[in-house]
Structures are given as C-alpha cells and as structure tokens.
Amino acid sequence: MALRAVTLIAASRRLTMSRAAWRKQVETTLTHGASALRDGDVATIGALFAEIDEWGDDQRAYQARRQLVELSFAAADKLRNEAWIELYVVVAEKILIALDRDPNEPVLLNYAGVLLYEIGQVTAAETLFAAAARLDPDLEHVQANRKAARRRRTDAQGAIPVPLRPRAIKAGQGAQRIAKRAWPVQEQTLSLVMIVKNEEEMLPGCLEAVHGAVDEIVIVDTGSTDRTVEIAKSFGARVVDFPWNGSFSDARNCSLEHATGDWVIYLDADEHLIPEDAKHLRALTGKSWREAFYLVETNYTGGDESGSSVAHLAMRVFKRKPEYRFEGRIHEQKTQSMPTYLPERFETTEIRIRHYGYLKSRITAKEKSRRNIELLSAEARELPGPFVDFNLGSEYMSLGEFDEARRYLDRAWDLLRREENWSAKGYSPMLAARVVQSRREDGDVAAARAAIAEGLVHYPDHTELVLQASLCARADGDLDEAARFAERCLELGDGPARYSATVGCGTYLARCMLAQIRTDQGRPEEAEALYKAALAEYPEYVAPVLPLATSMLARGIGTTEVRACVPAGRTSALLLLATALYEAGHSGEAEADFRSVLERQPGHSVARIGLIETLLSRANYDDAAGEAALEPEGSPLEAAAMGAELFARAASGKAVELGEAIGRARTRGLSEAEIALYSAWSAVIAGSTSPATVPADAFGPAQTALEALLRVKAFDAFATLVPAYEAIAVEETERREALAQIYFRRGFLDSAADEWIAAYQAAPTARPVIGLAQVAIAQGHVADAHELAHEAAALEPQNPRAARLVAALAQRHPL
C-alpha cells in the first residue's frame, strides 16, 4: 500500500504538472528506492520501476530510471549473500522493458550491459556495450566496458563465478534482440526556420551554405521592403508574412508553427554556417536520444574585417516539439521547457557558425543596439531579472556608453549571485567579464579588480578575466604586473567555449597586450616581434598591423620592409597600413593604398575618409572635395565626409562651390555650429570683413581647420579663415591663447608670441606668460624663459603649471 503514495493521482494531470512538481516526484521516488535498498527489499525496487513506466513525462521517467539504477549499483556491495544477484536481475529486467520500447538510449544500454555482465551474461553485455558505443562513441566508460566484456568472454579462466539463473539467461537473450535494434534513426527531417526583415545583403550567403543540408526552409518575414522575400523564394523557402509586434519570440514561434520537420535549426540572416560543416547536420537528426545540439558560433565584433571575435556555444538545433517555444522579446530563450537537468540530452558539436551581426558597421547602419535597448527595456518592465539586465548592459557596452552599461551589468551581477548554483548559468562567465570591462572602462579600476578576483574563484581558467587584470595593471601604471598577467594568459591559452569569451585572450590578443606593454616600457623591437607573432598565429586578426607598422616606421625602417609584414590579400590590413603611412608622413604611398582599398570595395567609407585626409594633407583640395562628394547619403561617415568637402571647398577659395556644399550640408548630418562656421568663412572669401557671429560650439572645428591649413602652409586660406574664427562667440583671451598654441605647435614662434602678448594685454593671467616662456625656451633665450616663468608664478602662486615650469627650468637650464 505504501507504494501507492508515489503514484500520480490521475492520468489527466500527468502532462500538466509543473517542473517543480515533477522534480519533487523524482525525489520522492528515489527516497523510496534508497529506503528499500537499505532494507534489501528488491520487490519494492521492481514495483518502483513499474510505477515509473506509467509516468506521463518521458524525460522525468528516464531520469528516475537512470538514478534508480545508480542507487542499485551503490547498494549492491552492502547486500548479504546473493541478494545483490536478485537485485541486478530485477533491475536488468526493468531496464530492458524500457529499452524494448525505445532501444536508442546509450546510457541505459550501457547500464544494462553492466548489470548483465555482473550476473554472468557477458555475451549479452558485450552486445549492449557495442550498441551503446554505436550510438554514442564518446559515452563515458562504454569503450572500456566493451573491451572488458570481450576480454572476459574470450578468457576461459576469467568466468564470473555467479550462479546462473533462468531469469538472467532470459534477460540476456532479450538484451541481444534489443541491441540489434539500437541504431541511429533514419529518415528524420530537418527544417531551417528564420525570421528576417530587409536582409538582401546577408540572406544569400546564409541560405547558400545551408539550403542543401535541410529538408525545408521556413522564413517569417516581418515587413521587408527590399529583395529579401524574392531571395528567400529563390532558395525554395516558404515565406510567411508576420506583422512585427515588437517580440522576437512571437516571430520565432510563428516559424516553428509552420515547420514540419522532426528537427529544426534556426538561424538569422547574418549567421552563416561554414559550408564544409553544413553536411554534418544530417547526422545529428539520427540521434533520437538527444533533445538539442550546440553549434560553435563565432561573433565578429570589430570592423568589417578586423578579425576580433567572441566564440560561444549556441543551441541552434533541437527537436520540433510543441512545448519547445521561445520566450522573451529579445535575446529570446527556449530552454525553459527543455530537460536541462539531463546533460546527456544535449550534445556539443564542432559545426561552426559565423555571426556577422555585431560588426560595428552593421550596428551603425541598422541602429541595432538602440532598437535592442528599446525592446529590452520593455521586457525589463514586464519580466525583470538578471538576464535582461545583462543584455541591456551588453547593448550599452556595444555603444561605448560604459557608465550606463555598468549600471545594468552590476545589477545583473548582484541579482544573479543570489540565485542557487548561479555560477553554472550559461551566461554567468560572460557577465563576469563584462562587469569587469564596464567598471574598468568607467574608470573604476579598483572595482574591476574586485570583480576579477571573485570571477576567478568560480572560473579559474577564464583567460579573459586574466587579460582584464593585465589591462587594470596597465591603467594603474604597473607595467611589470601587467606583463605578468599577459604572460599568464599565454600560459592558460583561450578559455573554454562555454564561457563565451573573446577569442584570442590566451593567444594573439595576449601577445598584442604584451606588445603594448613593451612599447610603454620603451622596448619597441620586442613589441614588434610580438605583433608579428600574433599576425602569424592568427592572420584573420589584422589589428596588429597598425601598431606594428607605426613602430617600424618610427624607427626609420623602410616601407618595403614594413609592407612585407602585412598579411597579403586582406583589405583591412591594407587600410591599416595606409593609415600608418599617412600618420608617418608617407602621404604618397598612403594615397595609393587608400585608393587600392576603394578599388576593391568602392563603398568603404573608412578608406574614403582616409583618402580624403591624405589628399587634404597634400593640399590637393579639388580631389579631396570630389572624393568627399562621393560618400552616399545615409553612410555612417556621411557627416565627416560633408565636413571634409566644406573644408576642401573653402581652402581652395571657391565661393560658389562652397555655397552649394553648405546648402547640401544642412541635410547631411553636419551640426548647425559647423554650418555657421563655413557660412562665415564663405562670406569672408566673398569679400565680407565682418562675418556673422558663429556659435561657440564651432570653436573646436575651427581650431582643427586652422591647424590643418598651417600644416600644409596654406597661408592664403588660413588668412580667410581667421576672421571667421574671430567671430566665434568665445572670450577673446581664450581665442588668442588657442591660436597661439596652434602657431606654437606648427613652429610659427613669432606669431605664437604675438597672440600670447595680445592675450596678456586683454587679461594679465599666468597662462599667456607661460606660453611666452615656452617660446623663449624654443628660441634658446633661457634667461628670458626664467624671468617669464617666475613672473607667471608671481601672478598666480597656486598655479601648478607655473610651479612646474620654474622647477623644470632650474633643473634643466640653470642660469
């Protein structure tokens, strides 16, 4: 009678029990089983297995069977005389009943094999071990068990001295029949499901890689206005229209409702399977004991081809069951109804996906992060929790808004750590790394270090945290400690994929970090060797090209030798080399390289801006203006190109073209202050001696333009800009001091002195006197410099710059 207490009350309730209720049901059954085993009550164990067979949840039934077998293994040694044999016979019979219904259960096949092996049915055990290995070759212990059974079967001296019982012999015969049926399931179908909107750019590459590996393609379109639907249908896709309602989960669930396959794989248009891996998808569908599969996804996070990336495991293939549905407006989840309490139901594969959706250019073009933040904020109001905060913080990080990112990530970190077994949550290692980065980027290095220490307690092999420790030490100025952490990263290697860590933290990124430290330490040749090693180790990551080329050029190494270090055929590498050449003064070669990039990719905005700046540095204003005019509307760098065109038109003194460009600038993203500055400049070019007042916000852009003109000695253009500069609504002393600094930096010492003298006459403070002292030093008039420095200190005794100048002169140029 007591056994009836563990029976579910009514069959109608079996499928409606909550997850917690089922967990309690399993725990109760195992408690009864443990008690029965302590008492040697084998009959009760058999009855419990019979009860489990009546459960309405296959996964919970499997869990209870497996754990009840494991309890039986542990109890066998404590049973008296031959009671353990009776226990093993009963348990084997019950497990074989379950396997007869579904023989494709590798764990239960292996357990049944162990039971039969111990009661003398070695041949049957070997067939079960072989069947389990056939289904899952990597199943723990199965290969060793198979070898042991084969060895025992062929060794006459090794027969197991157990009395053979008719029930054991019958079980062995039944086991061999079951083993013959244990094969991967054939003819299972696979559906690709997607949700899309305006993805004509990325969709062809996605479908090209995967369409031959699936049986159907179901695409839910949420309102495309480009060629997305046409492209989808060209690959044989069934397209379903779905009016966008702000919920990614609703759209994804719509795709699942229209799928007909036994399994589904879901992708986004910017996720591309590696073509040679797609063919392995079919083999997954035969593994009927699995519920889902993880693929290895690499998220490219830098510029279009910079190579920076984050790898993680993504559950993308799962059985099509009505209970497996997505939840959440964004970063939607589907595992809440899956048997995550059974790790053997989920397999990690080596099938790779490349995800391009986080490339900065695509984020900018689609305002993806802003859209995501809006949706996540709505979700946070409806269903607050650490995962939503984690995603909100991550979106703010992608925008570079680290103070806001930290607010959400810190809250996620606090909330998550209150949960049971929090460190095992799939996103927790990634959250730890982002908490550290947001704190460090927000300027709170001490708090970042505290999070690193806590994170490493739970994830000691989390290399990204160690790399963050190196960055913290460098920020604190402790270069030796920073180097030790970077070297530790190289010892650890990249962290496990389950951490979703940035790829390269234990390899090429750590080498680049160490190279930066060596540069800080004044050891450029060591730094260059490390950058070269990083490029050799991972040629896809081309970011080291810029610091490597910059360092080599600064040491006077010829451009031919520098070019030899740059990965061939990579457009982004050529772009970085062109940038280094431009900054090092090799403008002719830089121009040629920027043009080469644009020949390969005519729409490359960064290369176009680089070319424009190079042309401006050579005072080639007409060509610069022409290139700037080519930048299309809507480009992320549209405003920068428009500003460059205005500068080029003004510097060339062409009032008509400048006026036309100013008219276009009003709709091309340029600020009102900059438009006012160029309008005033245009008026001076046209002959006005008193241009209209220019807003103070134009002060910075005006200084940049003045210095750019002095750099190329465009004195006539400089002279026309000065009246417009003087019309800016800032204090005269501030204007003059800023202009003096520009003159001083460009080597026009007399003009710098004139401006500082005028600033002093307008307001006798220490700043212009310090400037005049700097001019005196540069001209070699040490005595005058001493006198001016002391005068500045007398004017403002608390001025730290004046005090430092007096001390520096006394030390370096004593009278």
Side-chain angles (χ1 to χ4, degrees), residues 266 271 293-297 312-317 334 353:
Y266 79 96
E271 295 174 323
F293 296 92
Y294 290 94
L295 312 187
V296 180
E297 182 170 29
H312 71 110
L313 299 177
M315 185 189 291
R316 291 311 183 94
V317 179
K334 68 277 184 189
I353 303 174

Side-chain angles (χ1 to χ4, degrees), residues 359-481:
L359 291 176
K360 285 187 172 62
S361 61
R362 285 181 59 75
I363 289 176
T364 302
K366 300 183 128 184
E367 297 183 347
K368 185 172 183 177
S369 287
R370 292 295 181 194
R371 177 208 66 190
N372 289 352
I373 287 169
E374 181 180 347
L375 295 173
L376 284 165
S377 297
E379 184 172 342
R381 291 189 294 271
E382 297 168 3
L383 191 66
F387 186 65
V388 177
D389 285 336
F390 161 71
N391 286 314
L392 271 166
S394 299
E395 295 296 346
Y396 279 112
M397 276 188 68
S398 72
L399 293 171
E401 298 178 14
F402 294 105
D403 55 342
E404 197 70 3
R406 178 183 177 180
R407 182 165 73 89
Y408 285 104
L409 293 170
D410 277 355
R411 189 167 71 187
W413 186 240
D414 290 340
L415 291 172
L416 179 65
R417 288 179 296 166
R418 299 174 193 173
E419 296 183 4
E420 183 180 356
N421 199 28
W422 66 267
S423 61
K425 299 282 186 180
Y427 69 95
S428 58
M430 188 162 33
L431 172 59
R434 292 183 183 178
V435 165
V436 171
Q437 183 180 352
S438 65
R439 291 178 178 183
R440 180 180 59 78
E441 297 277 10
D442 195 36
D444 194 346
V445 175
R449 285 180 180 271
I452 290 169
E454 184 175 1
L456 287 175
V457 169
H458 298 279
Y459 315 110
D461 53 349
H462 198 340
T463 316
E464 186 167 356
L465 293 178
V466 182
L467 189 64
Q468 286 289 339
S470 180
L471 288 162
C472 287
R474 186 178 180 221
D476 283 339
D478 192 340
L479 298 181
D480 290 338
E481 183 187 33

Side-chain angles (χ1 to χ4, degrees), residues 668-681:
R668 298 292 298 272
L670 214 62
S671 70
E672 289 298 323
E674 288 182 272
I675 291 173
L677 172 66
Y678 282 103
S679 296
W681 194 355

Side-chain angles (χ1 to χ4, degrees), residues 754-792:
D754 290 342
E755 292 298 326
W756 269 315
I757 289 170
Y760 179 80
Q761 290 171 344
T765 63
R767 287 198 310 271
V769 180
I770 292 171
L772 288 168
Q774 292 174 324
V775 171
I777 294 169
Q779 292 176 331
H781 303 314
V782 176
D784 291 344
H786 275 273
E787 183 179 347
L788 289 164
H790 282 91
E791 182 181 343

